[in-house]
């Protein structure tokens, strides 16, 4: 009974009984049928016939090449998520928004740092190859979308390794608010049209479009915060120092296994004081609308996140436009998006390969609690060292505050993605379509190791690294699709051709030993101490589709 919480279940013949007062309303429902309502009168019996809900039984999903099919007609597993479901636990990384929502999909976030990426696997990994990430292929509005996590540079020039600092996966360039639908194709048959790249599955993303009616404006703004909830405990019973095997006391150490700390000795919460509350601003505005034959969608967003480690953060701005116009049997459309993502980060667990130094976290967790770690400068601005003149700089441990305040590590990614598509309906059962897609981004990485840092002696006058990674992908495809029904049989035939061109360019400039203090520039480094690396990969191929 509607609004009362009282209900009943029918028997195998469809009959049921329920106590209901005159004037109340009964709701009769069954899976696959439309719900009917009955107004209770003085009558004691009612005959209700439910109508088939063809929409519920014929759920349509987007499959390969943007083709729509009924879910029940597919020969492989597919999970479909709408915009509302994706935004329930919205994350700037759409991969994290899938966590716990799709069976067989595993999400692994690299860290909790601002701008940290995530990896996704469907039904486990298929390869143990070191260069194979086992991640699915991403397709956005019919265009293959690169989701790699590029480590630009190398450990020898700037400390760049996957475990040393924060890296973003490139699907983060998409604004989750722009997504209308996500389809996760799990079977190998689902990936047939995309070739071996889709051996680990396919995730198809369809972005929003305008709808017929008046212009609609959506504005949202969200403020949240993040903080550390559980930190490693540091012992505060024994002071700095330790006894060697021969019984000799040694205080030239960061270890804290000396005598018990005397009463009144200052104790510093170095670990707790190092972190901060990180504010996150998420602002979005979109304008959409359309008529019977046209539609448009325009959005602008900005996501600004402060890291829980000072001087770290992630800022992303995106713009997107989707448009479509119909001319009788011809439909043309275009979509473009542009994003800028900036990440301020720091070395965390390791330093330069064969160059010395350490990460901020490794120093933080081992610093003596009787020493104030926040003191990294003397009053005159020079570097403060716990064992100055007692320990060679190259053999020392770098203070975490020096790392985040003096050493700089940033990356910036600018990305442009666009597509033009057209389709012509020759008959109700026959259409021809064509699409041209373009995906290009450039990542610029900057790393600066300040003079006086804990590194090898030859690098103690400073190091500078600038690396660029360029990715360009162009694709075209032309297809004709036959889809006709003969009685109880559906006939589908797809024929077409596709071509793809991919180019990757990686350049690294680095050098060391600044000639003049305070000038951070390659021009301030002698030619003998400057190095340049260049690597280009090009790949072009075409294929037939059927």
């Amino acid at each position: 009974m509607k609004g009362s919480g009282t209900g009943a279940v029918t028997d195998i013949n469809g009959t049921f009984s329920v106590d209901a007062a005159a004037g109340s309303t009964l709701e009769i429902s069954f899976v696959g049928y439309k719900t009917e309502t009955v107004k209770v009168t003085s009558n004691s019996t009612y005959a209700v016939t439910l109508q088939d809900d063809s929409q519920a039984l014929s759920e349509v999903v987007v499959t390969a090449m943007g083709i729509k099919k009924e879910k029940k007609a597919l020969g492989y597993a597919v999970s479909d998520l709408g915009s509302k479901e994706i935004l329930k636990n919205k994350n700037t990384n759409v991969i994290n928004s899938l966590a716990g929502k799709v069976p067989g999909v595993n999400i692994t976030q690299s860290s909790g740092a601002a701008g940290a990426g995530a990896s996704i696997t469907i039904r486990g990994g298929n390869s143990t190859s070191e260069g194979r990430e086992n991640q699915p292929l991403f397709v956005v509005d019919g265009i293959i979308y690169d989701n790699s996590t590029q480590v630009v540079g190398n450990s020898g020039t700037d400390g760049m390794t996957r475990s040393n600092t924060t890296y973003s996966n490139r699907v983060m360039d998409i604004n989750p608010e722009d997504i209308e639908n996500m389809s996760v194709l799990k079977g190998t048959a689902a990936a047939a049209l995309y070739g071996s790249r889709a051996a680990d599955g396919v995730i198809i993303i369809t972005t929003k479009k305008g709808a017929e009616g008046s212009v609609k404006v959506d504005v949202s703004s969200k403020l949240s915060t993040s903080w550390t909830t559980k930190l490693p405990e540091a012992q505060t019973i024994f002071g700095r120092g330790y006894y060697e095997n021969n019984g000799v006391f040694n205080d030239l150490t960061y270890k804290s296994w000396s005598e018990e700390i005397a009463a009144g000795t200052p104790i510093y919460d170095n670990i707790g004081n190092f972190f901060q509350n990180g504010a996150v601003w998420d602002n979005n505005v979109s304008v959409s609308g359309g008529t019977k034959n046209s539609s448009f969608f325009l959005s602008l967003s900005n996501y600004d996140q402060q890291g829980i480690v000072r001087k770290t953060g992630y800022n992303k701005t995106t713009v997107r436009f989707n448009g479509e116009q119909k001319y009788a049997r011809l439909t043309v459309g275009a979509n473009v998006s542009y994003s800028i993502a900036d990440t301020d980060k720091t070395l965390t667990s390791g330093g330069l390969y064969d160059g010395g130094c350490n990460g901020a976290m490794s120093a933080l967790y081992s610093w003596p609690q009787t020493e104030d770690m926040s003191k990294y400068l003397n009053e005159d601005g020079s570097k403060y060292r716990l064992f100055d003149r007692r320990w060679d700089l190259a053999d020392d441990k770098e203070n975490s505050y020096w790392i985040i305040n003096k050493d700089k590590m940033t990356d910036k990614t600018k990305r442009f993605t666009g597509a033009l598509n057209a389709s012509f309906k020759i008959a109700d059962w026959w259409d021809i379509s064509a699409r041209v897609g373009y995906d290009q981004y450039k990542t610029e990485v900057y790393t600066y190791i300040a003079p006086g840092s804990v590194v090898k002696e030859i690098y103690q006058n400073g190091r500078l690294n600038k690396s660029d990674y360029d990715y360009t992908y162009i694709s075209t495809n032309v297809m004709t699709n036959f889809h006709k029904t003969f009685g109880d049989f559906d006939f589908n035939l797809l024929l077409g051709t596709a071509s793809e061109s991919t180019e990757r360019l990686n350049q690294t400039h680095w050098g060391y030993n600044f000639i003049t203090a305070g000038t951070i520039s390659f021009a301030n480094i002698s030619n003998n101490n400057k190095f340049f690396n260049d690597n280009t990969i090009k790949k072009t191929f075409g294929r037939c589709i059927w």
Side-chain angles (χ1 to χ4, degrees), residues 48-62:
V48 181
T49 302
L50 300 182
Q51 301 295 321
D52 289 344
D53 190 352
S54 58
Q55 183 177 2
L57 295 177
S58 303
E59 185 179 354
V60 175
V61 296
V62 179

Side-chain angles (χ1 to χ4, degrees), residues 113-116 160 165-168 276 304-316 341-348 403-404 407-413 444 446:
M160 293 295 189
T165 189
T166 301
Y167 296 95
S168 303
Q276 66 176 2
D304 190 4
Q305 178 185 8
Q306 289 180 335
I308 59 173
V309 174
R310 290 175 173 82
K311 306 294 183 177
T312 65
Y314 176 73
N315 187 288
K316 179 181 70 174
D342 291 293
T343 308
D344 294 320
K345 50 192 180 180
T346 184
L347 287 175
T348 53
I403 295 175
I404 64 174
D407 298 340
K408 303 298 181 183
M409 179 175 286
T410 64
D411 66 50
K412 173 181 285 189
T413 299
E444 300 174 345
Y446 175 90

